[in-house]
Amino acid sequence: MSLKKYLYSFITILNFQEIHSEHYLLSNLKDNSGREGVVIASPSRSNPNYYYHWVRDAGLVVREYVEEYKYTSDLSLKRDIRRFVQKWIQVEIEHQRTAGESWANLGEPIFTVDGRIYPHPWGRPQSDGPAIRALTMTEWALLMIQEGREEDARKLYGGKIPAEGPIKKDLEYVAHHWFESNFDLWEEVKGVHFFTLMAQRIALVKGADLAAYMGDHGASDYYLRQADRIKSVLNSFYSAEKAHLIPTINQVDGWKNKVSELDTASILAINYFSFDDVYSVDSLAAQNTAAQIVDVFRNLYKINSDKPNLAPMIGRYSEDVYDGNGFSGGNPWYLTTHAMAEYLCRRDLSKERTSPNLKKIPFSGWQFLERSASLADSKGHFSEQADRVTGEPRGAADLTWSYASYLRAIRVCKRAGVPLGTN
Ligand code: NOJ
Ligand code: NOJ
């Protein structure tokens, strides 16, 4: 194939997948009755049943729309996003009210589409949820201020004790509970987590900005002090001996199978929450962790080792056994593969770039996206996972986060201006 033809096929598959991802993502932003603002994790109602609103997934997905709002000049798209974000905020205000009465409090991770607490035993609390929710709302409020819609922002923050606005409610929860053990984003391990602390720190730092703007100076100082304490705890997550970040310290409960302590959640955390040079994309910790993750998954799954010249599909962690419905063995996930793509493009965007002494990852961000897009079916559907041997869809179909993570990575990679098809 000529280089031109190769690049052309590459662009088409990525564009095709982008259009489909936008479309399938949109249809997951409401429930079956058309109630908007609910973000279903997936339309799948059995084997597995993911027809629920996870606070984490929803907050991350809406945050992607907030980013899109920032960059687009399309006024009707802006209007649609504004309407949708407001609906999501209404839904989360209800969730906060309901969760306030449960033992997990605002760390309640899952709600039914009609706003009830997930009625089964589960890994509770999950403290990344309120942090991500506060972060997304805070970024939205700051945008509204910039646009002269200060009243909207004021309602969202609501600066009183007891906190009345949804942002301040979550910030108070984060500031007072961040050091308590809770379940990780994969809902398996109870302890103190890198992903969660990174989310909590950025939520508090940005929240402190908003608090100061609202004249709530005492709260602002308090949030910043907690953010600083989190920053010092974050220092203990890099193992110089292992030369990678570890996902959890002080485990008190949950699964104990992650003996490698290498987890793609660390890369997700850096992409989503790295701020003011704390574990930036070009830190030694980030680069070493990413390189080791690529190495591990290249050799772990047959679909990867069969095609060593293609970018490998990336999983959560090597000991994973969750197959998306049961426990027959782990598979690569779309959202973690997209996270590796996003990471590499972010690193290319960053001024520092790779230090010459570090182990190089022999694939570009675009190549990870291309690999992932090539495994979607002919209509561009992404599920949660791809079979480790055949590449067939596994786990929840049309996982909302799979689409949002693809669009996010594409956005970052386009901005990075990395030429297609280069390393
Ligand atoms: C479902 C969770 O969402 C998944 O992450 C986990 O691996 C399994 N349950 C096992 O707890
Ligand atoms: C399982 C994943 O482990 C978790 O991170 C996610 O929130 C839920 N599925 C819903 O997508």
Side-chain angles (χ1 to χ4, degrees), residues 25-31 34-40 53 57-69 76-92 136-137 140 400 404:
L25 176 56
L26 265 183
S27 53
N28 289 355
L29 303 183
K30 50 183 173 306
D31 72 5
R35 183 179 185 230
E36 284 187 312
V38 177
V39 178
I40 54 170
H53 177 111
D57 298 39
L60 292 172
V61 167
V62 176
R63 190 168 179 230
E64 182 50 28
Y65 280 101
V66 173
E67 278 302 294
E68 201 171 328
Y69 187 92
S76 85
L77 177 62
K78 274 194 187 268
R79 203 181 44 235
D80 288 349
I81 296 179
R82 215 160 39 233
R83 204 198 60 226
F84 164 67
V85 172
Q86 274 152 7
K87 298 262 183 197
W88 167 73
I89 290 167
Q90 286 315 313
V91 165
E92 291 299 7
T136 299
M137 286 191 198
W140 180 250
T400 313

Side-chain angles (χ1 to χ4, degrees), residues 107-280:
E108 190 63 45
I110 316 176
F111 292 83
T112 63
V113 295
D114 55 358
R116 285 170 298 120
I117 287 174
Y118 182 68
H120 304 286
W122 204 249
R124 299 176 165 95
Q126 293 177 20
S127 301
D128 59 331
I132 293 168
R133 182 165 58 195
L135 174 64
T136 299
M137 286 191 198
T138 299
E139 288 175 341
W140 180 250
L142 292 168
L143 263 181
M144 292 301 102
I145 292 170
Q146 264 176 32
E147 290 197 343
R149 297 171 194 269
E150 195 177 312
E151 258 322 289
D152 290 3
R154 214 163 266 288
K155 266 189 242 147
L156 272 180
Y157 180 76
K160 277 193 217 142
I161 288 287
E164 278 168 358
I167 294 181
K168 179 140 177 174
K169 270 193 188 159
D170 277 336
L171 289 177
E172 289 293 315
Y173 176 79
V174 173
H176 286 98
H177 298 274
W178 62 265
F179 41 83
E180 291 169 16
S181 19
N182 65 93
F183 277 84
D184 72 322
L185 82 163
W186 307 136
E187 318 187 288
E188 295 172 339
V189 177
K190 192 172 189 189
V192 174
H193 316 286
F194 182 72
F195 179 89
T196 305
L197 288 179
M198 288 285 282
Q200 291 168 322
R201 176 177 175 271
I202 187 177
L204 289 171
V205 173
K206 293 205 175 183
D209 246 6
L210 183 64
Y213 181 88
M214 295 298 170
D216 197 4
H217 296 289
S220 176
D221 291 349
Y222 181 68
Y223 299 155
L224 283 180
R225 275 204 306 280
Q226 299 308 313
D228 270 349
R229 290 179 60 198
I230 294 179
K231 184 172 167 183
S232 59
V233 178
L234 278 168
N235 285 330
S236 45
F237 283 83
Y238 184 68
S239 158
E241 189 195 325
K242 289 173 180 269
H244 62 72
L245 285 158
I246 56 171
T248 301
I249 57 171
N250 302 344
Q251 178 169 357
V252 293
D253 201 355
W255 295 19
K256 297 219 164 66
N257 59 334
K258 206 181 296 170
V259 286
S260 67
E261 299 189 286
L262 182 63
D263 191 323
T264 313
S266 308
I267 299 301
L268 282 162
I270 285 165
N271 289 340
Y272 293 172
F273 311 128
S274 157
F275 192 62
D276 307 333
D277 282 340
V278 171
Y279 291 117
S280 61

